[in-house]
Protein backbone atom coordinates (compact mmCIF):
# COMPACT_ATOMS: atom_id res chain seq x y z
CA UNK A 1 0.00 0.00 0.00
CA UNK A 2 1.20 3.46 -0.78
CA UNK A 3 2.52 5.39 2.11
CA UNK A 4 0.26 8.18 3.31
CA UNK A 5 2.13 11.41 2.89
CA UNK A 6 2.60 13.55 5.94
CA UNK A 7 0.72 16.79 6.13
CA UNK A 8 2.32 20.06 7.00
CA UNK A 9 0.25 21.56 9.75
CA UNK A 10 -0.12 25.29 10.24
CA UNK A 11 -1.92 27.27 12.88
CA UNK A 12 -3.80 30.43 11.98
CA UNK A 13 -5.22 32.72 14.62
CA UNK A 14 -8.05 35.12 13.73
CA UNK A 15 -8.00 38.44 15.55
CA UNK A 16 -9.87 41.71 15.36
CA UNK A 17 -12.59 43.70 17.07
CA UNK A 18 -16.01 42.48 18.04
CA UNK A 19 -18.34 41.78 15.13
CA UNK A 20 -15.93 42.41 12.24
CA UNK A 21 -16.68 38.98 10.77
CA UNK A 22 -13.92 36.63 11.96
CA UNK A 23 -16.32 33.73 12.40
CA UNK A 24 -18.07 34.54 9.09
CA UNK A 25 -14.79 34.46 7.18
CA UNK A 26 -13.92 31.09 8.68
CA UNK A 27 -17.39 29.69 8.03
CA UNK A 28 -17.35 30.85 4.42
CA UNK A 29 -13.96 29.20 3.92
CA UNK A 30 -14.91 25.99 5.72
CA UNK A 31 -18.43 25.39 4.45
CA UNK A 32 -18.90 27.99 1.73
CA UNK A 33 -21.94 29.42 3.44
CA UNK A 34 -23.00 32.54 5.27
CA UNK A 35 -25.61 32.93 7.97
CA UNK A 36 -27.02 36.35 8.58
CA UNK A 37 -26.58 35.88 12.30
CA UNK A 38 -23.80 34.16 14.11
CA UNK A 39 -23.62 33.71 17.83
CA UNK A 40 -20.94 35.92 19.34
CA UNK A 41 -17.76 33.87 19.91
CA UNK A 42 -16.84 33.60 23.57
CA UNK A 43 -13.27 32.64 24.38
CA UNK A 44 -11.72 30.58 21.59
CA UNK A 45 -13.14 28.37 18.89
CA UNK A 46 -11.33 25.88 16.71
CA UNK A 47 -11.77 24.41 13.24
CA UNK A 48 -9.42 22.62 10.92
CA UNK A 49 -9.33 22.10 7.19
CA UNK A 50 -7.08 20.43 4.69
CA UNK A 51 -6.23 22.59 1.71
CA UNK A 52 -5.11 20.99 -1.55
CA UNK A 53 -2.78 23.24 -3.48
CA UNK A 54 -1.14 22.64 -6.84
CA UNK A 55 2.08 21.35 -5.43
CA UNK A 56 1.24 20.34 -1.91
CA UNK A 57 -1.38 19.70 0.69
CA UNK A 58 -1.51 21.57 3.96
CA UNK A 59 -3.63 21.22 7.03
CA UNK A 60 -4.79 24.50 8.48
CA UNK A 61 -5.87 24.82 12.08
CA UNK A 62 -8.05 27.89 12.47
CA UNK A 63 -8.34 29.54 15.88
CA UNK A 64 -11.28 31.89 16.12
CA UNK A 65 -11.27 34.39 18.99
CA UNK A 66 -13.62 36.71 20.87
CA UNK A 67 -13.17 40.33 19.86
CA UNK A 68 -13.88 42.24 23.05
CA UNK A 69 -10.81 43.96 24.45
CA UNK A 70 -10.74 42.16 27.76
CA UNK A 71 -10.61 38.78 26.00
CA UNK A 72 -7.17 39.64 24.68
CA UNK A 73 -5.66 38.28 27.86
CA UNK A 74 -6.88 34.81 26.84
CA UNK A 75 -5.28 34.86 23.43
CA UNK A 76 -1.45 35.13 23.83
CA UNK A 77 -0.82 31.40 24.05
CA UNK A 78 -2.74 30.86 20.81
CA UNK A 79 -0.80 33.64 19.09
CA UNK A 80 2.45 32.12 20.35
CA UNK A 81 1.58 28.82 18.67
CA UNK A 82 0.42 30.29 15.37
CA UNK A 83 2.47 30.83 12.26
CA UNK A 84 -0.19 33.10 10.76
CA UNK A 85 -2.28 35.87 12.28
CA UNK A 86 -5.29 37.11 10.33
CA UNK A 87 -6.26 40.54 11.65
CA UNK A 88 -9.70 41.54 10.45
CA UNK A 89 -11.58 44.83 10.49
CA UNK A 90 -14.94 45.96 9.21
CA UNK A 91 -14.61 48.42 6.30
CA UNK A 92 -17.84 50.03 7.53
CA UNK A 93 -16.43 50.61 11.02
CA UNK A 94 -13.47 52.98 11.23
CA UNK A 95 -12.76 52.23 14.87
CA UNK A 96 -12.26 48.55 14.11
CA UNK A 97 -9.72 49.61 11.46
CA UNK A 98 -7.86 51.89 13.87
CA UNK A 99 -7.73 49.12 16.45
CA UNK A 100 -5.93 46.77 14.06
CA UNK A 101 -2.71 48.52 15.15
CA UNK A 102 -3.28 47.19 18.65
CA UNK A 103 -3.82 43.71 17.30
CA UNK A 104 -0.61 43.90 15.26
CA UNK A 105 1.15 45.02 18.42
CA UNK A 106 -0.30 42.08 20.29
CA UNK A 107 1.01 39.64 17.66
CA UNK A 108 4.45 41.27 17.48
CA UNK A 109 4.73 41.10 21.25
CA UNK A 110 4.27 37.35 21.22
CA UNK A 111 5.96 36.43 17.96
CA UNK A 112 8.29 39.28 17.00
CA UNK A 113 8.63 39.30 13.22
CA UNK A 114 8.59 35.51 12.97
CA UNK A 115 4.99 35.39 11.82
CA UNK A 116 2.86 35.99 8.74
CA UNK A 117 0.29 38.71 9.34
CA UNK A 118 -2.59 39.45 6.97
CA UNK A 119 -4.74 42.51 7.35
CA UNK A 120 -8.26 41.80 6.13
CA UNK A 121 -10.88 44.47 5.42
CA UNK A 122 -14.14 42.54 5.60
CA UNK A 123 -17.74 43.46 4.69
CA UNK A 124 -17.01 45.08 1.33
CA UNK A 125 -20.64 44.30 0.45
CA UNK A 126 -21.63 47.24 2.68
CA UNK A 127 -20.87 49.61 -0.18
CA UNK A 128 -22.92 52.57 1.08
CA UNK A 129 -21.61 52.32 4.61
CA UNK A 130 -17.92 52.09 3.83
CA UNK A 131 -15.76 54.19 6.15
CA UNK A 132 -12.33 52.86 5.25
CA UNK A 133 -11.04 52.98 1.70
CA UNK A 134 -9.05 50.20 0.12
CA UNK A 135 -6.09 52.61 -0.18
CA UNK A 136 -6.10 53.25 3.57
CA UNK A 137 -6.07 49.54 4.25
CA UNK A 138 -3.28 49.01 1.76
CA UNK A 139 -1.22 51.87 3.23
CA UNK A 140 -1.57 50.58 6.73
CA UNK A 141 -0.47 47.11 5.66
CA UNK A 142 2.58 48.58 3.91
CA UNK A 143 3.41 50.61 6.97
CA UNK A 144 3.42 47.47 9.10
CA UNK A 145 5.02 45.34 6.41
CA UNK A 146 2.16 42.87 6.36
CA UNK A 147 -0.14 41.43 3.68
CA UNK A 148 -3.51 42.94 2.80
CA UNK A 149 -6.75 41.91 1.17
CA UNK A 150 -10.38 43.04 1.22
CA UNK A 151 -13.14 40.43 1.53
CA UNK A 152 -16.84 39.96 1.91
CA UNK A 153 -17.70 36.77 3.77
CA UNK A 154 -21.33 37.53 3.02
CA UNK A 155 -20.91 37.75 -0.74
CA UNK A 156 -18.20 35.10 -0.79
CA UNK A 157 -15.81 37.63 -2.25
CA UNK A 158 -12.04 37.05 -2.00
CA UNK A 159 -12.28 34.41 0.73
CA UNK A 160 -10.48 31.68 -1.21
CA UNK A 161 -7.89 34.15 -2.49
CA UNK A 162 -7.26 35.16 1.12
CA UNK A 163 -6.45 31.59 2.09
CA UNK A 164 -4.46 30.96 -1.09
CA UNK A 165 -2.44 34.06 -0.35
CA UNK A 166 -1.75 32.73 3.11
CA UNK A 167 -0.90 29.27 1.82
CA UNK A 168 1.51 30.71 -0.71
CA UNK A 169 3.32 32.58 2.03
CA UNK A 170 3.66 29.57 4.31
CA UNK A 171 7.10 28.12 4.76
CA UNK A 172 7.72 25.30 2.26
CA UNK A 173 7.31 21.59 2.65
CA UNK A 174 11.02 21.14 3.28
CA UNK A 175 10.66 22.91 6.58
CA UNK A 176 7.79 20.63 7.50
CA UNK A 177 7.09 21.13 11.14
CA UNK A 178 7.76 18.31 13.54
CA UNK A 179 4.08 17.94 14.32
CA UNK A 180 2.40 14.59 14.09
CA UNK A 181 1.60 12.98 10.79
CA UNK A 182 -2.00 12.73 9.78
CA UNK A 183 -4.07 11.06 7.18
CA UNK A 184 -5.59 13.08 4.42
CA UNK A 185 -9.30 12.93 4.92
CA UNK A 186 -10.90 16.24 4.28
CA UNK A 187 -13.18 17.53 1.60
CA UNK A 188 -11.32 18.63 -1.48
CA UNK A 189 -10.94 22.31 -2.10
CA UNK A 190 -9.77 22.13 -5.70
CA UNK A 191 -7.14 24.58 -6.72
CA UNK A 192 -8.29 27.00 -9.37
CA UNK A 193 -11.56 25.28 -10.12
CA UNK A 194 -14.79 26.58 -8.72
CA UNK A 195 -16.37 24.23 -6.26
CA UNK A 196 -19.82 23.52 -7.56
CA UNK A 197 -21.77 23.13 -4.35
CA UNK A 198 -22.75 26.72 -3.90
CA UNK A 199 -23.58 29.12 -6.64
CA UNK A 200 -23.90 32.19 -4.43
CA UNK A 201 -20.19 32.50 -4.47
CA UNK A 202 -19.49 35.58 -6.50
CA UNK A 203 -15.83 36.28 -6.46
CA UNK A 204 -14.57 33.37 -4.50
CA UNK A 205 -13.48 31.24 -7.44
CA UNK A 206 -9.83 31.88 -7.30
CA UNK A 207 -7.60 32.43 -10.26
CA UNK A 208 -4.40 32.79 -8.36
CA UNK B 1 -14.58 58.23 33.54
CA UNK B 2 -14.37 54.50 33.07
CA UNK B 3 -11.11 52.56 33.11
CA UNK B 4 -10.78 52.68 29.35
CA UNK B 5 -10.77 56.44 29.64
CA UNK B 6 -14.00 57.09 27.82
CA UNK B 7 -16.17 59.85 29.16
CA UNK B 8 -19.43 58.07 28.41
CA UNK B 9 -19.06 54.44 29.32
CA UNK B 10 -22.71 53.80 28.80
CA UNK B 11 -22.43 54.98 25.18
CA UNK B 12 -19.54 52.61 24.58
CA UNK B 13 -21.44 49.77 26.17
CA UNK B 14 -24.53 50.55 24.16
CA UNK B 15 -22.56 50.45 20.94
CA UNK B 16 -21.01 47.09 21.86
CA UNK B 17 -24.45 45.81 22.76
CA UNK B 18 -25.87 46.93 19.45
CA UNK B 19 -23.55 44.37 17.88
CA UNK B 20 -24.15 41.60 20.39
CA UNK B 21 -27.92 41.75 20.96
CA UNK B 22 -28.81 40.25 17.57
CA UNK B 23 -26.03 37.69 18.10
CA UNK B 24 -27.50 36.37 21.34
CA UNK B 25 -29.52 33.21 20.63
CA UNK B 26 -30.30 34.49 17.11
CA UNK B 27 -33.60 33.28 15.75
CA UNK B 28 -35.25 32.96 19.15
CA UNK B 29 -38.91 33.90 18.73
CA UNK B 30 -38.87 36.52 21.48
CA UNK B 31 -35.23 37.35 22.25
CA UNK B 32 -34.47 38.06 18.62
CA UNK B 33 -37.15 40.73 18.23
CA UNK B 34 -36.98 44.48 18.86
CA UNK B 35 -38.78 43.88 22.18
CA UNK B 36 -36.38 41.15 23.22
CA UNK B 37 -33.33 43.17 22.21
CA UNK B 38 -34.57 46.21 24.13
CA UNK B 39 -35.28 44.21 27.29
CA UNK B 40 -31.89 42.51 27.18
CA UNK B 41 -30.20 45.84 26.56
CA UNK B 42 -31.88 47.39 29.61
CA UNK B 43 -30.83 44.52 31.89
CA UNK B 44 -27.22 44.61 30.69
CA UNK B 45 -26.86 48.38 30.66
CA UNK B 46 -28.50 48.45 34.08
CA UNK B 47 -25.94 46.02 35.40
CA UNK B 48 -23.08 48.00 33.89
CA UNK B 49 -24.21 50.95 36.02
CA UNK B 50 -24.27 48.77 39.11
CA UNK B 51 -20.73 47.50 38.62
CA UNK B 52 -18.56 49.64 36.39
CA UNK B 53 -15.61 47.24 36.75
CA UNK B 54 -17.63 44.60 34.98
CA UNK B 55 -19.47 47.00 32.70
CA UNK B 56 -20.53 44.76 29.85
CA UNK B 57 -18.57 41.59 29.21
CA UNK B 58 -19.33 39.27 26.30
CA UNK B 59 -20.82 36.10 27.70
CA UNK B 60 -23.11 38.00 30.04
CA UNK B 61 -25.41 38.56 27.07
CA UNK B 62 -26.20 34.84 26.98
CA UNK B 63 -26.59 34.56 30.74
CA UNK B 64 -28.88 37.59 31.00
CA UNK B 65 -30.92 36.45 28.01
CA UNK B 66 -31.69 33.09 29.56
CA UNK B 67 -32.45 34.74 32.89
CA UNK B 68 -34.90 37.04 31.12
CA UNK B 69 -36.68 34.09 29.55
CA UNK B 70 -37.08 32.34 32.87
CA UNK B 71 -37.72 35.26 35.20
CA UNK B 72 -40.13 36.98 32.78
CA UNK B 73 -39.51 40.50 34.16
CA UNK B 74 -36.44 42.62 33.52
CA UNK B 75 -36.14 43.54 37.17
CA UNK B 76 -36.02 39.94 38.35
CA UNK B 77 -33.54 39.02 35.65
CA UNK B 78 -31.39 41.97 36.72
CA UNK B 79 -31.31 40.88 40.35
CA UNK B 80 -30.60 37.27 39.47
CA UNK B 81 -27.68 38.47 37.39
CA UNK B 82 -26.46 40.56 40.31
CA UNK B 83 -26.67 37.61 42.71
CA UNK B 84 -24.78 35.41 40.28
CA UNK B 85 -21.93 37.84 39.78
CA UNK B 86 -21.73 39.09 43.32
CA UNK B 87 -22.56 36.07 45.47
CA UNK B 88 -22.30 32.90 43.47
CA UNK B 89 -19.39 33.13 41.03
CA UNK B 90 -15.76 33.83 41.83
CA UNK B 91 -14.77 37.50 41.74
CA UNK B 92 -13.38 39.09 38.60
CA UNK B 93 -14.66 36.50 36.15
CA UNK B 94 -15.83 39.28 33.88
CA UNK B 95 -13.70 42.30 34.83
CA UNK B 96 -11.01 43.99 32.75
CA UNK B 97 -8.56 41.11 32.20
CA UNK B 98 -10.88 38.26 33.14
CA UNK B 99 -8.44 37.24 35.89
CA UNK B 100 -11.12 35.27 37.74
CA UNK B 101 -11.83 33.34 34.58
CA UNK B 102 -8.12 32.55 34.16
CA UNK B 103 -8.03 31.25 37.73
CA UNK B 104 -11.08 29.04 37.19
CA UNK B 105 -9.55 27.52 34.06
CA UNK B 106 -6.39 26.56 35.94
CA UNK B 107 -8.36 25.14 38.81
CA UNK B 108 -10.42 23.14 36.34
CA UNK B 109 -7.30 21.80 34.64
CA UNK B 110 -5.95 20.59 37.99
CA UNK B 111 -9.28 19.03 38.92
CA UNK B 112 -9.47 17.19 35.61
CA UNK B 113 -5.99 15.76 36.23
CA UNK B 114 -7.13 14.62 39.65
CA UNK B 115 -10.60 13.31 38.80
CA UNK B 116 -10.03 12.05 35.25
CA UNK B 117 -6.27 11.38 35.07
CA UNK B 118 -6.41 9.24 31.92
CA UNK B 119 -8.27 11.91 29.96
CA UNK B 120 -6.02 14.66 31.28
CA UNK B 121 -2.87 12.77 30.28
CA UNK B 122 -4.23 12.00 26.82
CA UNK B 123 -5.28 15.60 26.20
CA UNK B 124 -1.94 16.85 27.38
CA UNK B 125 -0.24 14.59 24.84
CA UNK B 126 -2.43 16.10 22.12
CA UNK B 127 -1.53 19.59 23.34
CA UNK B 128 -5.18 20.23 23.98
CA UNK B 129 -5.73 22.86 26.63
CA UNK B 130 -9.05 22.41 28.39
CA UNK B 131 -9.60 26.16 28.47
CA UNK B 132 -10.28 25.82 24.75
CA UNK B 133 -13.76 24.52 25.51
CA UNK B 134 -14.17 25.38 29.16
CA UNK B 135 -13.73 29.16 28.87
CA UNK B 136 -17.06 29.40 27.09
CA UNK B 137 -18.70 26.98 29.50
CA UNK B 138 -17.65 29.03 32.52
CA UNK B 139 -18.30 32.49 31.06
CA UNK B 140 -21.72 31.63 29.65
CA UNK B 141 -22.49 29.22 32.48
CA UNK B 142 -23.15 26.56 29.83
CA UNK B 143 -26.01 28.51 28.28
CA UNK B 144 -24.31 28.61 24.89
CA UNK B 145 -23.37 24.92 24.91
CA UNK B 146 -26.05 22.87 26.63
CA UNK B 147 -29.73 22.72 25.62
CA UNK B 148 -31.56 25.28 27.75
CA UNK B 149 -33.53 22.67 29.71
CA UNK B 150 -30.27 21.17 30.87
CA UNK B 151 -28.61 24.53 31.44
CA UNK B 152 -31.45 25.56 33.73
CA UNK B 153 -31.14 22.42 35.82
CA UNK B 154 -27.43 23.11 36.21
CA UNK B 155 -28.29 26.69 37.20
CA UNK B 156 -30.74 25.46 39.83
CA UNK B 157 -27.94 23.58 41.51
CA UNK B 158 -25.54 26.45 40.87
CA UNK B 159 -27.72 28.93 42.74
CA UNK B 160 -28.23 26.40 45.50
CA UNK B 161 -24.73 25.02 45.97
CA UNK B 162 -22.41 27.61 44.48
CA UNK B 163 -19.78 27.86 41.78
CA UNK B 164 -18.33 24.43 42.47
CA UNK B 165 -21.27 23.10 40.46
CA UNK B 166 -19.69 24.49 37.30
CA UNK B 167 -16.67 22.28 37.93
CA UNK B 168 -18.89 19.27 38.59
CA UNK B 169 -20.77 19.76 35.33
CA UNK B 170 -17.65 20.46 33.28
CA UNK B 171 -15.86 17.40 34.66
CA UNK B 172 -18.94 15.30 33.99
CA UNK B 173 -18.99 16.24 30.30
CA UNK B 174 -15.43 14.96 29.93
CA UNK B 175 -16.13 11.91 32.09
CA UNK B 176 -19.19 10.89 30.07
CA UNK B 177 -17.09 10.67 26.94
CA UNK B 178 -13.96 9.24 28.49
CA UNK B 179 -13.65 6.25 26.15
CA UNK B 180 -14.25 8.31 23.01
CA UNK B 181 -11.85 11.02 24.10
CA UNK B 182 -9.09 8.51 24.72
CA UNK B 183 -9.34 7.39 21.09
CA UNK B 184 -8.81 10.84 19.59
CA UNK B 185 -5.65 11.79 17.73
CA UNK B 186 -6.34 15.42 17.00
CA UNK B 187 -7.42 18.54 18.82
CA UNK B 188 -10.28 18.99 16.37
CA UNK B 189 -11.72 15.55 17.18
CA UNK B 190 -11.70 16.34 20.90
CA UNK B 191 -13.61 19.53 20.27
CA UNK B 192 -16.07 17.76 17.97
CA UNK B 193 -16.83 15.13 20.61
CA UNK B 194 -17.30 17.67 23.37
CA UNK B 195 -19.45 19.98 21.27
CA UNK B 196 -21.62 17.19 19.97
CA UNK B 197 -22.04 15.88 23.50
CA UNK B 198 -23.02 19.20 25.02
CA UNK B 199 -25.37 20.14 22.18
CA UNK B 200 -27.25 16.85 22.56
CA UNK B 201 -27.44 16.61 26.33
CA UNK B 202 -31.21 16.90 26.49
CA UNK B 203 -31.54 14.80 29.62
CA UNK B 204 -30.39 16.87 32.62
CA UNK B 205 -30.45 13.81 34.88
CA UNK B 206 -27.88 12.09 32.74
CA UNK B 207 -25.45 14.98 33.26
CA UNK B 208 -26.21 15.61 36.92
CA UNK B 209 -25.93 11.95 37.86
CA UNK B 210 -22.42 11.81 36.48
CA UNK B 211 -21.62 15.26 37.88
CA UNK B 212 -22.43 14.29 41.43
CA UNK B 213 -22.22 10.50 41.66
CA UNK B 214 -19.24 9.77 39.49
CA UNK B 215 -17.08 12.84 39.99
CA UNK B 216 -17.03 12.51 43.71
CA UNK B 217 -17.38 14.95 46.53
CA UNK B 218 -15.82 18.41 46.33
CA UNK B 219 -16.39 21.12 48.88
CA UNK B 220 -16.51 24.82 48.17
CA UNK B 221 -13.58 25.02 50.53
CA UNK B 222 -11.46 22.71 48.37
CA UNK B 223 -12.15 24.88 45.36
CA UNK B 224 -11.36 28.07 47.28
CA UNK B 225 -8.00 26.64 48.32
CA UNK B 226 -7.25 25.70 44.73
CA UNK B 227 -8.08 29.21 43.62
CA UNK B 228 -5.79 30.74 46.23
CA UNK B 229 -3.03 28.51 44.94
CA UNK B 230 -3.51 29.59 41.33
CA UNK B 231 -4.09 33.32 41.83
CA UNK B 232 -0.46 34.48 42.20
CA UNK B 233 0.62 32.63 39.06
CA UNK B 234 -2.27 34.08 37.03
CA UNK B 235 -1.56 37.60 38.25
CA UNK B 236 2.10 37.18 37.40
CA UNK B 237 1.31 36.02 33.87
CA UNK B 238 -1.15 38.84 33.26
CA UNK B 239 1.40 41.39 34.52
CA UNK B 240 4.12 39.96 32.34
CA UNK B 241 1.90 40.24 29.30
CA UNK B 242 1.21 43.90 30.04
CA UNK B 243 4.90 44.55 30.56
CA UNK B 244 5.76 42.95 27.22
CA UNK B 245 3.13 45.06 25.48
CA UNK B 246 4.34 48.24 27.14
CA UNK B 247 7.98 47.63 26.34
CA UNK B 248 7.06 47.08 22.69
CA UNK B 249 5.23 50.39 22.68
CA UNK B 250 8.28 52.16 24.15
CA UNK B 251 10.51 50.59 21.51
CA UNK B 252 8.24 51.96 18.83
CA UNK B 253 8.63 55.42 20.25
Amino acid sequence: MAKVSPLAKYKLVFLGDQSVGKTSIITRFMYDKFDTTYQATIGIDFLSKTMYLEDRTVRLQLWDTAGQERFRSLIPSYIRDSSVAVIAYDVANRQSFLNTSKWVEEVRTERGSDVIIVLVGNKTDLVDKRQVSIEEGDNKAREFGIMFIETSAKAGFNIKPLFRKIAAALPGMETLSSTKQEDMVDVNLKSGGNSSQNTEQQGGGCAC
Amino acid sequence: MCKQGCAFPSELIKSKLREDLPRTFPGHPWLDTPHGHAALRRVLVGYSFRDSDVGYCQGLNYVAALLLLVMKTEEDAFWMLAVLLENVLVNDCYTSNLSGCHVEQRVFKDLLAKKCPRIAAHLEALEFDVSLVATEWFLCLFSKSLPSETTLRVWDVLFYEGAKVLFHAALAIFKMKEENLLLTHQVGDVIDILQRTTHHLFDPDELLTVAFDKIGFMTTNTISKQRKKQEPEVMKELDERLRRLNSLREDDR
Side-chain angles (χ1 to χ4, degrees), chain A:
Chain A
M1 212 176 115
K3 212 177 144 205
V4 181
S5 41
L7 274 188
K9 196 191 279 179
Y10 299 97
K11 296 184 178 175
L12 282 65
V13 64
F14 285 72
L15 306 167
D17 279 12
Q18 210 169 322
S19 202
V20 297
K22 301 177 285 296
T23 306
S24 310
I25 291 172
I26 292 176
T27 311
R28 173 60 85 183
F29 174 57
M30 290 288 298
Y31 311 111
D32 198 12
K33 66 166 190 168
F34 178 84
D35 294 334
T36 46
T37 38
Y38 288 97
Q39 305 225 61
T41 308
I42 306 297
I44 310 272
D45 210 348
F46 170 93
L47 289 154
S48 77
K49 184 171 177 109
T50 304
M51 218 178 150
Y52 297 89
L53 304 158
E54 284 86 349
D55 56 339
R56 55 179 168 157
T57 304
V58 292
R59 184 158 188 97
L60 304 181
Q61 295 194 335
L62 313 177
W63 301 86
D64 193 7
T65 65
Q68 196 178 10
E69 178 150 3
R70 62 188 80 181
F71 282 82
R72 282 185 201 181
S73 69
L74 296 170
I75 303 173
S77 60
Y78 296 96
I79 297 179
R80 233 169 286 147
D81 286 346
S82 298
S83 38
V84 181
V86 178
I87 299 177
Y89 65 92
D90 170 358
V91 299
N93 177 345
R94 175 157 287 276
Q95 193 55 48
S96 73
F97 174 66
L98 298 174
N99 286 347
T100 54
S101 308
K102 287 196 198 169
W103 288 107
V104 173
E105 220 167 54
E106 195 85 35
V107 176
R108 297 268 194 238
T109 305
E110 299 300 333
R111 298 277 315 202
S113 51
D114 172 34
V115 60
I116 298 163
I117 305 180
V118 194
L119 184 68
V120 177
N122 191 36
K123 307 198 189 181
T124 56
D125 53 286
L126 298 179
V127 180
D128 301 335
K129 293 183 180 163
R130 190 188 266 270
Q131 296 180 357
V132 184
S133 71
I134 189 163
E135 289 77 18
E136 283 175 287
D138 193 43
N139 287 341
K140 186 156 197 165
R142 277 171 208 278
E143 188 188 309
F144 280 116
I146 60 182
M147 298 194 287
F148 173 68
I149 192 167
E150 280 196 344
T151 59
S152 165
K154 188 174 186 176
F157 169 68
N158 259 355
I159 298 296
K160 279 186 195 171
L162 160 65
F163 284 88
R164 298 209 160 271
K165 214 174 157 103
I166 291 170
L170 289 171
M173 287 293 261
E174 64 281 359
T175 54
L176 210 160
S177 62
S178 58
T179 43
K180 297 174 199 78
Q181 299 192 356
E182 290 172 60
D183 297 346
M184 293 193 249
V185 282
D186 274 29
V187 188
N188 200 339
L189 181 85
K190 279 245 169 63
S191 57
N194 239 325
S195 61
S196 53
Q197 39 175 300
N198 198 328
T199 45
E200 300 181 329
Q201 181 122 349
Q202 289 173 4
C206 167
C208 56

Side-chain angles (χ1 to χ4, degrees), chain B residues 59-223:
Chain B
L60 291 179
N61 51 327
Y62 295 103
V63 176
L66 198 50
L67 283 173
L68 255 178
L69 288 178
V70 188
M71 303 308 296
K72 311 282 193 245
T73 75
E74 292 167 32
E75 191 178 345
D76 287 344
F78 171 87
W79 287 115
M80 291 296 270
L81 188 65
V83 166
L84 263 180
L85 268 62
E86 294 159 24
N87 303 100
V88 177
L89 303 175
V90 70
N91 287 335
D92 290 322
C93 265
Y94 301 96
T95 48
S96 65
N97 53 17
L98 308 179
S99 62
C101 175
H102 283 269
V103 172
E104 297 298 70
Q105 292 307 314
R106 281 162 168 266
V107 172
F108 178 58
K109 197 175 171 184
D110 276 5
L111 285 174
L112 187 76
K114 221 172 276 168
K115 302 277 183 187
C116 312
R118 291 168 69 208
I119 303 179
H122 183 73
L123 296 184
E124 176 117 35
L126 293 183
E127 295 179 359
F128 176 90
D129 193 303
V130 290
S131 66
L132 194 50
V133 288
T135 304
E136 184 199 276
W137 293 351
F138 279 70
L139 284 175
C140 303
L141 310 178
F142 296 104
S143 61
K144 192 167 177 276
S145 331
L146 294 173
S148 40
E149 307 88 318
T150 308
T151 304
L152 292 175
R153 274 290 295 283
V154 173
W155 285 16
D156 280 346
V157 201
L158 173 68
F159 276 104
Y160 191 64
E161 295 194 20
K164 68 167 187 175
V165 169
L166 298 176
F167 294 98
H168 275 280
L171 288 167
I173 294 167
F174 279 90
K175 187 80 186 168
M176 290 165 84
K177 290 292 156 188
E178 177 154 20
E179 297 312 319
N180 305 54
L181 289 171
L182 291 176
L183 294 174
T184 52
H185 297 292
Q186 291 174 46
V187 173
D189 298 338
V190 177
I191 295 180
D192 280 347
I193 290 175
L194 294 171
Q195 285 184 347
R196 222 171 316 128
T197 305
T198 50
H199 292 166
H200 293 94
L201 254 171
F202 290 101
D203 180 4
D205 291 330
E206 195 188 344
L207 176 68
L208 292 177
T209 306
V210 179
F212 289 95
D213 293 350
K214 295 219 175 124
I215 295 302
F217 192 64
M218 294 189 286
T219 63
T220 305
N221 206 5
T222 324
I223 307 264

